[in-house]
Amino acid sequence: MKIYAKKILLTTGWTSDVTLDIENGVIADISNEKVAGAMVVEQPIVPGMVNLHSHSFQKAFVGLTEFKASQQDSFWSWRDAMYRLLQKVTPDDLKVISEYLYGEMLRHGYTSCAEFHYLHNQANGVPYDDPAACSHAIIQGAKASGILLRHCPVFYHYSGFGEKPHESGQKPFFNTVESFQRLLEVLQKDYQNDSQVEFGVAPHSLRAVSKQQLHELLDWWKSGPFHIHIAEQEKEVNECVSYYGKRPVEFLLQQGDIGEQWCFVHATHLTASETRDLAKSGVVAGLCPETEANLGDGIFPAIDYLSHSGRWGIGSDSHICISPWRELRTLEYSQRFLHRQRNLLAQSALPHVGRYLWETAANNGSQVVHQQTGKLAIGQRADFITLNTELPELTGRDDDFLLDSAIFACNDNPVRDVMVAGQWRVQQGELLNQQDSAQKYRQVLKRLLEQ
């Protein structure tokens, strides 16, 4: 396949009149001319975005916890409500929910997703006849949509620091190290020849795994990637200090070779030294600004982190928002709130905030999913989107002003077309081959939300 782009954002910057030669889903060549027979793409092309943190099942509960559950409503009261709401979810439901969700991700510009998947058992804690039933459901939902998946089953054993036994609401998450290893081994065998899905390991959090279990997982899953929730809530930080005598990020960075194969999700509450050390480690901070705002987590110290050349990417987490455009807007605005200045997340080499945000999140996200994506160059996967310049908010914009406006001016989705691994998945804003996913999703919601 050959794609002629009238305007495209390559690693070298914005370029006009370029032909991409795509073979087996990968960009095999880039020529600065129009090649005969190439498909002409009129709209500007930019790299697809990586969603580095997703809990698919939580999509079904968006909007159902927006009431005051107690006088001290917090992340923890939200979590209790979420535990109650998930009791009815089956593997069949998960497939429908994930297929719909991943389709929405594609429509908004995500082309890869890392799924932080921690629903493994039935509501009473009894494993399904197939212990990988829930993972299969998520993977099949991804395959039906066409998104590329880094599936990261979650290891969850304890309810809190001090090796407290798991609670009733956490029974669907529970695994021993041995049962968790068997789960990954089954999944690797079942999908060993499937280019659309790869695997990672996700210790849920320092409160949910012991130090010994963490090291057992590190010794076993040597290749990575590893994903972990960390320092999301001040209560979690304080409990970690009480138990380990160290703050979460401080503690985890001392547990061996913690570097580029890791994603520290949230990492909201950091000291100056933790911020510096995390930045220098090569770990990617997995930021989920819309979810973090919704849960009242706090604001990531992005300016200090970037001063030490820290790496970061974005995820949709609880799916209160599925738009990378809004995630990036909220990230920049959070820093404006905090520092009372404008245009903070940019660099001297990339003074336009929109381009800096999009390119950086996409490129660093590729490190998290361990895939050749996030930028458009020879040898990279053909994952890209086109921007809908027919939107009034994008009228008359060009190059860097186009990405600035897509992030900060558009209220409508600015994505027109989406290609993943050389295959069109969205054209003119419409999903291809997924026409009934929304209807199936509505039917699942009606059943789940019955009183």
Side-chain angles (χ1 to χ4, degrees), residues 13-31:
W14 287 101
T15 307
S16 299
D17 302 320
V18 164
T19 297
L20 305 179
D21 187 357
I22 300 170
E23 297 180 5
N24 299 317
V26 174
I27 300 173
D29 191 32
I30 300 176
S31 55

Side-chain angles (χ1 to χ4, degrees), residues 303 332-333 335-344:
I303 303 304
E332 166 68 21
Y333 283 176
Q335 303 307 302
R336 297 186 189 188
F337 278 131
L338 189 62
H339 297 280
R340 295 175 294 284
Q341 297 179 41
R342 299 187 72 249
N343 299 323
L344 289 161

Side-chain angles (χ1 to χ4, degrees), residues 86-140:
L86 63 80
Q87 297 300 308
K88 296 181 181 179
V89 176
T90 68
D92 287 343
D93 297 333
L94 281 176
K95 181 181 182 302
V96 172
I97 294 167
S98 61
E99 180 179 345
Y100 172 76
L101 171 69
Y102 292 141
E104 288 299 291
M105 286 186 193
L106 287 167
R107 284 203 318 109
H108 287 84
Y110 290 116
T111 51
S112 297
C113 179
E115 180 66 29
F116 196 99
H117 171 68
Y118 57 93
L119 277 184
H120 303 301
N121 308 317
Q122 300 178 63
N124 60 4
V126 176
Y128 291 95
D129 291 339
D130 177 358
C134 291
S135 283
H136 289 314
I138 295 291
I139 292 167
Q140 293 307 309

Side-chain angles (χ1 to χ4, degrees), residues 367-439:
Q367 176 180 321
V368 171
V369 293
H370 284 208
Q371 295 169 350
Q372 296 298 310
T373 188
K375 56 187 176 183
L376 300 177
I378 293 173
Q380 294 289 302
R381 209 167 55 204
D383 297 347
F384 60 75
I385 66 175
T386 73
L387 296 174
N388 184 7
T389 54
E390 295 179 4
L391 289 177
E393 291 81 4
L394 299 186
T395 300
R397 273 70 165 182
D398 197 20
D399 295 354
D400 288 350
F401 286 104
L402 188 64
L403 277 173
D404 288 343
S405 299
I407 291 172
F408 295 105
C410 285
N411 291 315
D412 294 325
N413 179 16
V415 177
R416 185 181 188 274
D417 311 298
V418 179
M419 175 172 280
V420 181
Q423 296 188 51
W424 292 112
R425 297 300 185 182
V426 177
Q427 289 192 307
Q428 298 183 47
E430 297 295 327
L431 288 163
L432 303 181
N433 305 318
Q434 203 181 350
Q435 290 79 6
D436 62 345
S437 64
Q439 177 59 29

